[in-house]
Amino acid sequence: MEGGGRPSAAQAVLLAASTAITALLYSIYRQKARVASGLEGARKVRLDGDLRAVLLEAPGRCVPYAVIEGVVRSVKDTLSSQFVENCKGVVQRLTLQEHKMVWNRTTHLWNDYEKIIHQRTNTTPFDLVPAEDGAGVTVRVMKPLEAAELSLETVYEKFHPSVQSFTDVIGHYISGERPKGIQETEQMLKVGTALTGVGELVLDNATIKLQPPKQGMPYYLSSLDFESLLQKQESSVRFWKILTVVFGLATCAVLFFLLRKQYRHHRERQHLRQMQEEFRQAQERLASAEGGEGLKNACVVCLSSTKSCVFLECGHVCSCHECYQALPKPKKCPICRQGITRVVPLYNS
């Protein structure tokens, strides 16, 4: 603590940073909790012949947040894998990712570094249909790339290591970057994949559409079933809640430490004022008892014995011999705080 009981700059920064981190974590936790609560309250509808009737009875022919499960089926054309034969899907993502080692001048270690240098995503319209054929009900999936969780299966993955000459190796060590190679990946949402869609379900003319919700809730197209998806979100809520509690307790501990320091400083100042008041009262009592003359010759430390010491080299006569002996080492004059080299007894005749 600094003078006056105020916290130091480092302590103030620590408290402010801890408070800000706690507030940020709490904000994330509240958002995750809202998402999990909204997902738990989403209306579960079945992909069957009654679905159209349900939407006709709903206000505006719309269910704002619905859960529906079905199997992926392309509307017209399908996308073919560039590397795997007879692999067809409705969403295709091709990624080229660079892998290299970067020298960290702080830790003096080589760290892995990954960077996407090219990515292309192709889509084609698709529907969700019942797992059992024959119901004749389909749901058109709109804007699948806006989904917060879009389950894509990796169908091809290959790593192409870098070919380096001896000169290249020396140059890489000097520059602090060592290329490892390029990883080529193809991911697809294959036809026939079972999906759980969570979003706004609307009847548009004769077409039933699943699209991103308008209330700010997340849009899901997940290969997990609804219960697993809900458990995943609840696990995320618990994780952020634990982090919030931990940092909240740390913030409380820092605040308690600062308040305790300030309280102790306040008690010390109160004790000092009390001692000053007692000293003033003792002076008044001594002045009234001896008419002022006794106070003039009284020891400035105990205010009871007579001054009997001359301090050299400053020359002050201010203390009795007993109080001089009680002064802490190195002994200094109580008046001018100059060091005492020797003491001469004072005799009053």
Side-chain angles (χ1 to χ4, degrees), residues 223-236:
S223 59
L224 299 174
D225 60 79
F226 177 70
E227 295 300 328
S228 300
L229 183 61
L230 181 59
Q231 290 178 5
K232 181 179 178 181
Q233 298 305 316
E234 291 175 345
S235 298
S236 177

Side-chain angles (χ1 to χ4, degrees), residues 70-79 89-92 122-129 138-147 149-152 188-197 207-211 219-222:
V71 176
V72 174
R73 187 184 70 181
S74 63
V75 175
K76 295 181 180 178
D77 300 328
T78 58
L79 302 173
V90 293
V91 179
Q92 178 189 47
N122 302 318
T123 63
T124 187
F126 67 95
D127 293 336
L128 291 181
V129 300
T138 63
V139 174
R140 179 68 50 84
V141 178
M142 311 300 295
K143 301 178 181 179
L145 299 184
E146 294 185 13
E149 182 173 328
L150 177 60
S151 297
L152 298 179
M188 296 191 72
L189 177 59
K190 295 194 294 185
V191 174
T193 302
L195 275 189
T196 299
T207 305
I208 302 175
K209 297 179 179 180
L210 178 68
Q211 58 192 18
Y219 182 36
Y220 294 101
L221 293 172
S222 175

Side-chain angles (χ1 to χ4, degrees), residues 232-261:
K232 181 179 178 181
Q233 298 305 316
E234 291 175 345
S235 298
S236 177
V237 171
R238 286 193 296 269
F239 171 76
W240 288 105
K241 182 178 181 180
I242 291 172
L243 277 184
T244 303
V245 170
V246 169
F247 275 87
L249 291 176
T251 302
C252 292
V254 173
L255 182 61
F256 173 77
F257 171 78
L258 296 180
L259 292 177
R260 181 173 175 269
K261 285 284 188 180

